[in-house]
Amino acid sequence: MFSIEKKNIEKMEVEQVLHMNGGVGHISYANNSSIQRVVISRARPTLEESVIEVCRTVFPECLRIADLGCSSGPNTLTVGSCILDTIEATYRCSNQKPPPLQLFLNDLPGNDFNTIFRSLPSFYEKLKKEKGDNFGPCFVTAMPGSFYGRLFPDNSMHIVHSSYSLHWLSKVPMGLLSETGEALNKGNIYISKTSPRVVFNAYYDQFQEDFRMFLRCRSEEVVSSGGMILTIAGSIESDNPKCIIEIIGKALNDMVLENIIKGESLDNFNMPLYFPTANEVKKVIQEQGSFYLQKLDIFEIPWDAGFSEPITSKNNNIMNDKEKRGTYVSDYVRAVVEPILVKQFGETIMDKLFARFTDRVIESMAKEKWQYVNLVISLTKKALHA
């Protein structure tokens, strides 16, 4: 069971259940990741700036790129294509031929890598058609594993990218139980207005530990003057976040009141997530000390950013605009968090849960303007002698 009992959830268990909905079905991540595509597009200028700087300062025989937390679906190779386009343009401006390239796609072992593999032939064909024989060759490789540990050899990577992954923690924080074993975050599945201070402290400590470990591992893998571009879902006030996860918690509370799930099952469940502020991110980067912080941008997007396609209900009746937008939000959230929720609450309640979640999203969006806070971070690896 994915729960907090007498001990913390082990890191290995989180790695086993933390993955997006696979395949290409209605609630798959592949068909419900347009919000992430909007974020990638907004972060693209910073990504291009960082890639150009690396190309101008690092001259490897083979240029190695990693996309950490790549997931699966249309966005996975979109990021890689953007990086390759920028590399080509940079080398072309200096009348040079780009070196051979390796693109490593990383995610946890439960990720749907098969969907990625099936898309590679068309990806290679597009590269050849658009860039010709003077570009590359480019080799795409999967690298399963947690980015909270080592993934690559020492001083082997030149460009590292990650989008919408680092807000996932390696495990649920310690310290969410009292000395008598009572759940301290009752009725919540993340930090909320009703969470005691000790809950925030536990989450914040786990974030610092994980992000510090991430930076340390990458510092050993990235070459001097290599670049990292990280996009993280953040918050303005991490100890009192306006967070869509809180609305899932409210929907689960509704189901407790209706005796569909047990209150104890909800009280003992906490999501392995943390949405940091810009200052919290800066603090860890400065304390860890392996990277120069070149830029940290903050932008917000509405929950329904990326909504465009008409959505119909299951009985094919056309829904009104509010219902369509609420369903759009509910479907992409479900594609991301359903595997973890299934582990705790079982698969049979998922349709009921997300029907209630959809209703609450529609209600919340009608009352106020909800936004996702995003942090885009550009880092450069310090020289080895620094």
Side-chain angles (χ1 to χ4, degrees):
M1 177 179 289
F2 194 86
S3 62
I4 305 282
E5 295 176 352
K6 295 295 182 181
K7 63 178 182 178
N8 184 42
I9 295 173
E10 295 295 333
K11 183 176 180 179
M12 181 59 68
E13 186 174 352
V14 171
E15 291 180 9
Q16 291 170 349
V17 299
L18 183 54
H19 58 85
M20 312 297 105
N21 278 341
V24 291
H26 170 66
I27 56 172
S28 67
Y29 183 79
N31 283 327
N32 292 280
S33 52
S34 56
I35 188 79
Q36 289 84 357
R37 188 157 55 250
V38 172
V39 172
I40 290 168
S41 178
R42 289 287 299 272
R44 181 164 180 160
T46 299
L47 174 62
E48 291 176 340
E49 289 172 11
S50 299
V51 171
I52 290 169
E53 184 61 27
V54 171
C55 291
R56 288 174 175 172
T57 55
V58 180
F59 306 99
E61 293 183 2
C62 178
L63 202 160
R64 298 183 184 90
I65 306 149
D67 189 15
L68 308 184
C70 66
S71 192
S72 62
N75 297 334
T76 298
L77 293 173
T78 296
V79 173
S81 294
C82 172
I83 294 173
L84 297 180
D85 289 346
T86 307
I87 291 171
E88 181 201 29
T90 304
Y91 275 85
R92 188 174 63 244
C93 285
S94 59
N95 295 314
Q96 292 180 301
K97 180 181 177 179
L101 302 117
Q102 282 185 291
L103 173 59
F104 295 90
L105 302 177
N106 157 262
D107 213 310
L108 293 172
N111 185 52
D112 184 7
F113 284 104
N114 284 334
T115 296
I116 300 174
F117 296 152
R118 284 191 288 269
S119 68
L120 287 179
S122 60
F123 176 74
Y124 287 132
E125 185 178 347
K126 182 182 178 183
L127 273 183
K128 186 174 182 179
K129 182 178 180 181
E130 293 181 351
K131 304 187 187 308
D133 295 331
N134 289 327
F135 182 81
C138 177
F139 306 97
V140 180
T141 304
M143 181 60 69
S146 170
F147 52 49
Y148 291 124
R150 286 292 301 271
L151 293 168
F152 307 104
D154 289 354
N155 302 310
S156 61
M157 305 308 297
H158 305 97
I159 299 168
V160 173
H161 170 269
S162 182
S163 180
Y164 260 41
S165 297
L166 276 163
H167 48 261
W168 289 102
L169 301 173
S170 67
K171 59 185 178 181
V172 173
M174 300 288 288
L176 297 181
L177 292 175
S178 70
E179 292 183 358
T180 59
E182 183 180 5
L184 297 175
N185 201 26
K186 286 186 176 182
N188 301 309
I189 63 172
Y190 182 58
I191 303 164
S192 76
K193 299 177 184 66
T194 61
S195 299
R197 187 69 188 180
V198 66
V199 169
F200 163 73
N201 291 340
Y203 269 97
Y204 180 46
D205 289 347
Q206 187 63 51
F207 164 73
Q208 291 185 96
E209 177 184 326
D210 282 346
F211 192 40
R212 190 178 296 113
M213 177 61 72
F214 174 88
L215 294 173
R216 192 183 82 184
C217 290
R218 303 295 82 77
S219 73
E220 296 172 2
E221 297 167 349
V222 176
V223 302
S224 296
S225 300
M228 268 209 306
I229 311 93
L230 313 173
T231 304
I232 305 176
S235 62
I236 302 301
E237 297 178 86
S238 56
D239 59 346
N240 187 21
K242 290 179 63 178
C243 180
I244 202 165
I245 299 299
E246 185 176 346
I247 297 183
I248 297 177
K250 291 178 179 178
L252 287 165
N253 271 290
D254 293 342
M255 299 180 79
V256 170
L257 294 175
E258 296 171 30
N259 294 317
I260 298 173
I261 61 175
K262 294 181 179 180
E264 182 181 1
S265 183
L266 174 58
D267 292 341
N268 288 332
F269 176 75
N270 292 278
M271 293 286 285
L273 285 163
Y274 187 76
F275 303 105
T277 67
N279 286 335
E280 289 169 350
V281 168
K282 288 178 184 178
K283 180 176 182 289
V284 178
I285 293 169
Q286 291 168 354
E287 290 177 350
Q288 199 282 324
S290 296
F291 293 87
Y292 295 112
L293 177 59
Q294 303 292 4
K295 180 187 286 189
L296 198 162
D297 289 334
I298 305 171
F299 67 88
E300 296 182 83
I301 58 171
W303 279 1
D304 56 358
F307 172 79
S308 60
E309 297 296 323
I311 300 174
T312 59
S313 62
K314 289 184 177 180
N315 60 5
N316 294 323
N317 292 327
I318 301 297
M319 294 183 284
N320 64 40
D321 188 65
K322 290 181 180 179
E323 289 176 327
K324 286 189 287 186
R325 291 178 182 276
T327 300
Y328 164 75
V329 173
S330 179
D331 284 350
Y332 73 64
V333 171
R334 181 173 185 173
V336 172
V337 302
E338 184 172 33
I340 291 179
L341 296 173
V342 166
K343 182 69 176 179
Q344 175 71 0
F345 301 105
E347 190 172 356
T348 58
I349 72 158
M350 289 298 113
D351 287 343
K352 294 179 180 178
L353 169 60
F354 282 97
R356 286 165 173 77
F357 176 64
T358 301
D359 291 340
R360 281 191 167 271
V361 167
I362 293 169
E363 179 184 356
S364 296
M365 291 174 68
K367 289 180 178 178
E368 58 180 309
K369 186 177 181 180
W370 286 81
Q371 304 270 346
Y372 288 121
V373 176
N374 299 274
L375 312 177
V376 184
I377 306 138
S378 175
L379 302 167
T380 300
K381 168 74 181 297
K382 294 180 178 179
L384 292 176
H385 57 76

